[in-house]
């Protein structure tokens, strides 16, 4: 087909630069077109996406090929041409596959899911599809925390870590008589959610009253998330396709430890990936050794890297292999001089840390079990190791926040800068402190899931205040995310299936969310700025992530009293800090 020629050319060009992609004959296999709803450049840097691709193709009975959103410069032409969306590996139309699976990592990509469906010639809404269409499966962390805004578009939501899902999907596919039978078989398995199998009842005030399984569907009252139980016998997720055409170039990304036991009250990733599971040291190092010919740089993926019991040994061996190492954000409480020395030796010049706020009081509100003294002591270690730059993450709009807390962000940053300058003197070169400030979006599946987001005028005031506090400080650069951007992200995070028309409208109008709200009448304030503590059912209650409501409620109460819940590991080592729990806030 001539209209498809540019797509084929592009796919062949991309493949020619790749190492590690999989080509399999389609005959007799379950065919999965796996989409990352953003460009190739972004998607190929995503470890979750690469992992699902590898897991699918590890099954002899499955062939999985990739699909991406074309770059912006080509998107309009491709849409106008009406050419069918093709996979990268064999340049087969997506419509010819059995399953069109999406790995979604960011709320911002929800509109791209619809664009890809349109390009593939598949109806956007599940109710409009027939047995001629591939089964549309939507997965990825943001969707299994709260899949509801995407519910009308998914035949099935994968509420699961990929490792726990693929064998049951294949089993059900092999045994099923037809599409309906496949869906019924899948809902009998843990981790699969079929939104169309539920009728959502609403109360008069617009809140959800109940999710009612439809008769004859055998759908369970709640869908239990499926997760990998133990990691001792599992290969760590790692880059399997190397290409220079990505954000991280040919960097080997490898997951070292999953989860974080710190229990920060706002952190959906911390709660969602419990319990903490470390991947085996031997397998991490084996994979790193195999990948060394293709990669000089290794990205250690984890939200709590130093929770790995063998982290020092892992780093030592990686440095010995000649890798330069990029750690993800480091948790300060576990940093040691040895870890810092190894990072510096591997060429790292910047460390990223997340104080979240400038005051100890507010850190007790969010349960970040760190004090300013500890942060400054850690910064001293960091700069003494020869690392020159610091990247900092802060939040605004934390419950009980006052102007004093904003001033405390400036004061802490100044103290950190002083530490940087002190150590820079001997080198004769001063580094940079780069701060990133984001409004807090209360997230589903956290202790803050009932909280309204702080109203936009108040957040705007705080943004201006922090901007003026940070202005003109030498060697310090702050970027502050606008409240508007966060509002629509919050809507997609906290909404339910009634938000879907706004996603459709924003996809049609090129991402103008304000116009999409006006056109569809979706009330963003209802979903974002409302106190949900009296709601009978929250939109994301349909998925049971394993954490108990009573625990979250107790944590929310403790937040208002500025009390910590120390994770077991820190209870002992920080016994000296326990006294602060009894201070009056
Ligand atoms: S320390 Fe970081 S990763 Fe762990 S729970 Fe807190 S914010 Fe989340």
């Amino acid at each position: 087909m001539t209209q498809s020629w540019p797509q084929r050319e592009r796919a062949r060009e991309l493949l020619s630069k790749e190492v590690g992609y999989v080509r399999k004959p389609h005959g007799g296999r379950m065919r999965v077109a796996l989409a990352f709803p953003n460009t190739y450049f972004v998607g190929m840097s995503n470890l979750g996406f690469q992992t699902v691709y590898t897991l699918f193709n590890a099954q002899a009975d499955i062939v999985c090929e990739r699909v991406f959103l074309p770059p912006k410069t080509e998107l309009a032409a491709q849409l106008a041409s009406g050419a069918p969306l093709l996979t990268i590996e064999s340049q087969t139309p997506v419509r010819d596959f059995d399953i069109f699976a999406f790995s979604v990592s960011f709320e911002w990509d929800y509109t791209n899911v619809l664009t890809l469906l349109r390009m593939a010639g598949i109806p956007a809404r599940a109710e409009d599809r027939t047995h001629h269409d591939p089964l549309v499966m939507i997965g990825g962390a943001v969707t299994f925390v709260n899949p509801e805004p995407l519910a009308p578009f998914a035949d099935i939501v994968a509420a699961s870590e990929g490792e726990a899902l693929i064998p049951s999907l294949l089993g059900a596919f092999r045994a099923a008589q037809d599409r309906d039978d496949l869906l019924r078989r899948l809902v009998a398995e843990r981790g699969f959610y079929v939104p169309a199998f539920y009728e959502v009842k609403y109360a008069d005030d617009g809140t959800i009253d109940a999710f009612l399984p439809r008769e004859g569907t055998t759908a369970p009252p709640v869908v239990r998330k499926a997760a990998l139980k133990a990691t001792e016998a599992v290969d760590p997720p790692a880059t399997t396709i190397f290409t220079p055409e990505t954000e991280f170039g040919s960097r080997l990304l490898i997951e070292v430890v999953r989860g974080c036991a710190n229990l920060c009250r706002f952190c959906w990733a911390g709660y969602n990936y419990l319990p903490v599971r470390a991947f085996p040291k031997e397998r991490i190092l084996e994979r790193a050794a195999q990948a060394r010919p293709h990669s000089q740089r290794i990205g250690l993926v984890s939200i709590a890297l130093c929770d790995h019991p063998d982290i020092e040994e892992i780093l030592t061996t990686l440095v010995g292999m000649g890798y330069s190492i990029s750690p993800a954000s480091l948790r300060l409480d576990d940093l040691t001089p040895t870890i810092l020395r190894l990072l510096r030796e591997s060429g790292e010049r910047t460390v990223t840390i997340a104080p979240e706020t400038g005051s100890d009081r507010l850190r007790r509100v969010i349960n970040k079990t760190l004090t300013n003294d500890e942060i400054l002591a850690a910064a001293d270690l960091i700069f003494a190791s020869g690392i020159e730059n610091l990247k900092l993450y802060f939040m605004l709009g934390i419950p009980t926040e006052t102007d004093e807390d904003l001033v405390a962000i400036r004061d802490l940053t100044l103290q950190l800068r002083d530490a940087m300058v002190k150590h820079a003197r001997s080198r004769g070169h001063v580094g940079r402190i780069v701060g990133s400030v984001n409004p807090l979006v209360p997230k589903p599946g956290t202790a803050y899931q009932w909280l309204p987001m702080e109203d936009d005028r108040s957040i705007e005031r705080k943004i201006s205040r922090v901007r003026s506090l940070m202005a003109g400080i030498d060697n310090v650069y702050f970027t502050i995310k606008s409240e508007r951007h966060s509002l629509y992200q919050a809507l997609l995070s906290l909404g339910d299936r009634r938000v879907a028309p706004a996603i459709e409208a924003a996809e049609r109008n090129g991402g103008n969310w304000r116009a999409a709200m006006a056109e569809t009448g979706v009330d963003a304030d209802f979903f974002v700025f409302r106190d949900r503590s009296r709601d009978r059912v929250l939109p994301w209650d349909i998925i049971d992530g394993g954490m108990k409501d009573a625990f979250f409620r107790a944590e929310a109460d403790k937040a208002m009293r500025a009390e910590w819940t120390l994770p077991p590991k820190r209870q002992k080592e920080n016994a000296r800090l326990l006294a602060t729990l009894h201070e009056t806030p």
Side-chain angles (χ1 to χ4, degrees):
M1 199 181 291
T2 50
Q3 300 141 315
S4 299
W5 182 80
Q7 261 193 92
R8 288 183 197 283
E9 273 299 288
R10 195 177 53 242
R12 288 191 198 113
E13 197 191 320
L14 291 171
L15 288 175
S16 71
K17 295 183 188 161
E18 288 186 349
V19 174
Y21 68 86
V22 178
R23 265 309 297 270
K24 284 183 191 178
H26 287 199
R29 294 192 162 89
M30 182 175 103
R31 291 159 304 165
V32 180
L34 176 65
F36 189 88
N38 208 309
T39 58
Y40 178 92
F41 185 80
V42 178
M44 287 302 292
S45 311
N46 187 284
L47 184 56
F49 175 75
Q50 286 226 16
T51 304
V52 179
Y53 176 80
T54 309
L55 289 168
F56 271 129
N57 278 317
Q59 303 279 338
D61 284 354
I62 299 180
V63 52
C64 174
E65 302 191 359
R66 292 161 295 153
V67 187
F68 301 93
L69 196 72
K72 235 188 184 135
T73 45
E74 293 165 34
L75 181 63
Q78 196 169 322
L79 277 166
S81 76
L85 183 67
L86 305 180
T87 56
I88 300 279
E89 280 78 355
S90 67
Q91 298 111 52
T92 304
V94 167
R95 273 198 65 85
D96 294 352
F97 282 72
D98 300 306
I99 295 179
F100 191 12
F102 287 86
S103 171
V104 190
S105 288
F106 310 105
E107 287 96 354
W108 281 117
D109 290 339
Y110 287 4
T111 50
N112 295 338
V113 170
L114 300 191
T115 306
L116 284 168
L117 285 169
R118 186 143 58 97
M119 294 173 87
I122 298 169
R125 294 209 163 223
E127 66 200 11
D128 298 328
R129 292 181 202 130
T130 69
H131 64 277
H132 295 297
D133 295 304
L135 194 81
V136 174
M137 183 166 83
I138 300 185
V142 284
T143 64
F144 68 75
V145 173
N146 178 18
E148 280 308 286
L150 289 172
F153 312 124
D155 293 313
I156 192 137
V157 172
S160 166
E161 293 177 2
E163 294 90 341
L165 157 153
I166 289 169
S168 12
L169 176 64
L170 182 61
F173 181 81
R174 286 269 168 258
Q177 311 288 319
D178 54 34
R179 188 184 176 94
D180 291 343
D181 186 33
L182 173 59
L183 292 176
R184 274 195 297 274
R185 284 173 187 274
L186 286 175
V187 294
E189 303 280 343
R190 198 168 165 159
F192 291 98
Y193 167 46
V194 176
F197 281 5
Y198 296 83
E199 183 191 350
V200 185
K201 289 264 184 223
Y202 300 98
D204 291 342
D205 61 2
T207 57
I208 297 175
D209 211 26
F211 281 87
L212 299 176
R214 292 185 195 278
E215 238 170 81
T217 62
T218 64
V222 287
V223 178
R224 291 169 72 208
K225 194 182 84 180
L228 196 58
K229 283 205 177 68
T231 46
E232 291 91 42
V234 180
D235 280 331
T239 308
T240 49
I241 304 175
F242 294 93
T243 170
E245 300 286 309
T246 77
E247 204 173 337
F248 296 133
S250 283
R251 182 181 303 186
L252 170 67
L253 297 177
I254 190 158
E255 189 172 0
V256 176
V257 51
R258 191 170 291 179
C260 169
N262 236 45
L263 308 178
C264 296
R265 294 185 175 117
F266 61 89
C267 179
W268 70 268
Y271 288 124
N272 195 44
Y273 290 110
L274 285 175
V276 177
R277 291 150 291 165
F279 287 93
K281 167 189 72 187
E282 296 74 19
R283 292 187 186 225
I284 293 170
L285 295 175
E286 199 181 300
R287 184 75 194 98
Q290 286 163 357
R292 186 64 188 86
H294 315 297
S295 188
Q296 294 180 351
R297 201 166 176 81
I298 187 164
L300 302 178
V301 176
S302 144
I303 51 174
L305 184 64
C306 303
D307 269 359
H308 197 294
D310 303 314
I311 191 65
E312 291 192 358
E313 196 182 335
I314 291 171
L315 292 175
T316 309
T317 314
L318 293 175
V319 170
M321 287 180 195
Y323 271 114
S324 53
I325 300 172
S326 310
S329 167
L330 288 167
R331 247 191 30 213
L332 286 180
D333 43 331
D334 288 327
L335 273 186
T336 63
T338 310
I339 291 174
L340 287 164
R341 178 180 50 78
L342 288 164
L343 290 178
R344 184 66 199 97
E345 273 173 32
S346 87
E348 194 58 56
R349 296 172 62 184
T350 304
V351 159
T352 304
I353 59 172
E356 315 293 3
T357 173
S359 76
D360 287 348
R361 183 195 70 82
L362 215 46
R363 241 177 259 116
R364 294 206 298 275
V365 170
I366 58 174
N367 204 41
K368 188 101 186 184
T369 48
L370 269 180
T371 61
N372 278 344
D373 286 348
E374 287 176 300
I375 292 171
L376 291 167
D380 218 47
L381 277 185
I382 290 170
F383 294 125
S385 75
I387 285 172
E388 294 161 21
N389 312 305
L390 204 54
K391 189 158 181 215
L392 304 172
Y393 281 110
F394 290 106
M395 292 187 303
L396 286 182
I398 297 170
T400 78
E401 188 174 64
T402 64
D403 189 63
E404 258 173 51
D405 298 306
L406 306 186
V407 175
I409 293 179
R410 195 254 334 255
D411 293 348
L412 177 63
T413 309
L414 282 175
Q415 285 175 287
L416 290 168
R417 193 198 57 157
D418 289 348
M420 178 176 77
V421 171
K422 182 181 87 186
H423 288 281
R425 266 190 211 116
S426 55
R427 285 194 301 270
H429 163 72
V430 184
R432 294 150 67 96
I433 293 187
V434 177
S436 169
V437 184
N438 294 290
L440 168 71
V441 176
K443 287 282 184 181
T446 70
Y448 286 167
Q449 61 181 354
W450 295 281
L451 275 186
M453 190 170 156
E454 185 157 328
D455 78 78
D456 35 4
R457 253 177 299 176
S458 164
I459 283 286
E460 276 304 339
R461 260 199 315 274
K462 289 182 177 178
I463 287 175
S464 324
R465 176 79 170 127
V466 174
R467 278 211 177 102
S468 69
L469 283 166
M470 306 309 299
I473 305 178
D474 288 344
N475 308 102
V476 172
Y477 306 87
F478 263 58
T479 53
I480 305 181
K481 195 161 150 191
S482 94
E483 156 285 320
R484 272 285 130 190
H485 189 82
S486 304
L487 167 67
Y488 299 122
Q489 188 196 353
L491 174 69
L492 297 176
S493 176
L494 298 167
D496 61 34
R497 51 182 77 183
R498 291 169 293 180
V499 168
I503 303 175
E504 290 170 307
E507 194 266 335
R508 277 195 306 269
N509 73 18
N512 183 341
W513 282 93
R514 199 186 284 263
M517 296 295 145
E519 180 191 330
T520 57
V522 170
D523 180 2
D525 290 7
F526 173 81
F527 293 103
V528 177
F529 297 119
R530 184 171 52 84
D531 175 355
R532 285 173 289 274
S533 55
R534 292 183 185 281
D535 287 20
R536 270 170 58 83
V537 179
L538 298 170
W540 46 93
D541 283 350
I542 187 64
I543 308 291
D544 174 3
M547 302 297 287
K548 298 269 174 286
D549 245 34
F551 170 76
F552 282 150
R553 292 236 181 231
E555 283 297 292
D557 289 347
K558 282 166 105 177
M560 301 318 277
R561 298 195 300 267
E563 278 182 22
W564 269 338
T565 297
L566 292 179
K569 183 174 163 207
R570 283 182 59 98
Q571 270 169 16
K572 204 162 155 222
E573 71 196 49
N574 284 340
R576 68 194 166 81
L577 294 170
L578 280 169
T580 55
L581 297 183
H582 307 296
E583 273 176 19
T584 334

